[in-house]
Amino acid sequence: MALIKEYQNGNAARMVRNSVERMKAGSCPTPENEFGKFLLPFVKNLSPAIINNTQIKKLIDEARVCAMGFRVCQCEYPNAPKTMAIFLDDLAEGMLESGLAVIVSKEQAKKTIIECPGNPVITSKVDGAYREICRTYAPNCLYWNMEKLGARCLIRSKDFDSLNKNTDPRE
């Protein structure tokens, strides 16, 4: 499981970069290899989901506090396009404490993530709850690289709402 402290200290970003670089070099995470035995359970706990504008608004509206900052992996890929992420609740406070995000209103959070054109939006669990909403950049995204290699990990938008029923549509 990804922890807030791993976001604060950069370990989450380094793990993403190491995994993405392995995949770009041709290593595919499978249940049979060591790479997959580490990565697949880790990503499953993140329950990454592609979400639509209605789902984005709902997550933000239900949050206690919102913060905005660059994608967590941006520090590992400084030449990549700079797209924003929204951090919610305890993660928002942790990223603010680390100087990696600023507190924003719910309206500003929605406007920032919805109106930023292009790349799909993914939400991930951090410390067991959906606390990160990211405007992804596919070439450097852990999830998109896994999908590209056939390791299906992303919950589709149409299935996201079923998560409230404690089911995982990937199974």
Side-chain angles (χ1 to χ4, degrees), residues 21-40:
E21 295 306 315
R22 283 183 74 170
M23 287 184 277
K24 285 180 178 181
S27 181
C28 181
T30 67
E32 296 79 34
N33 65 32
E34 288 304 312
F35 182 36
K37 287 178 184 175
F38 160 75
L39 190 59
L40 297 175

Side-chain angles (χ1 to χ4, degrees), residues 108-154:
Q108 181 62 44
K110 287 185 267 191
K111 181 178 179 173
T112 298
I113 203 77
I114 290 171
E115 291 182 8
C116 180
N119 306 332
V121 176
I122 293 178
T123 186
S124 301
K125 287 184 177 181
V126 179
D127 268 347
Y130 284 106
R131 292 189 173 114
E132 178 185 26
I133 303 172
C134 179
R135 179 65 73 174
T136 63
Y137 177 63
N140 300 341
C141 179
L142 173 67
Y143 309 133
W144 290 119
N145 276 277
M146 289 177 69
E147 292 270 331
K148 183 176 165 181
L149 291 173
R152 185 170 182 221
C153 65
L154 289 167

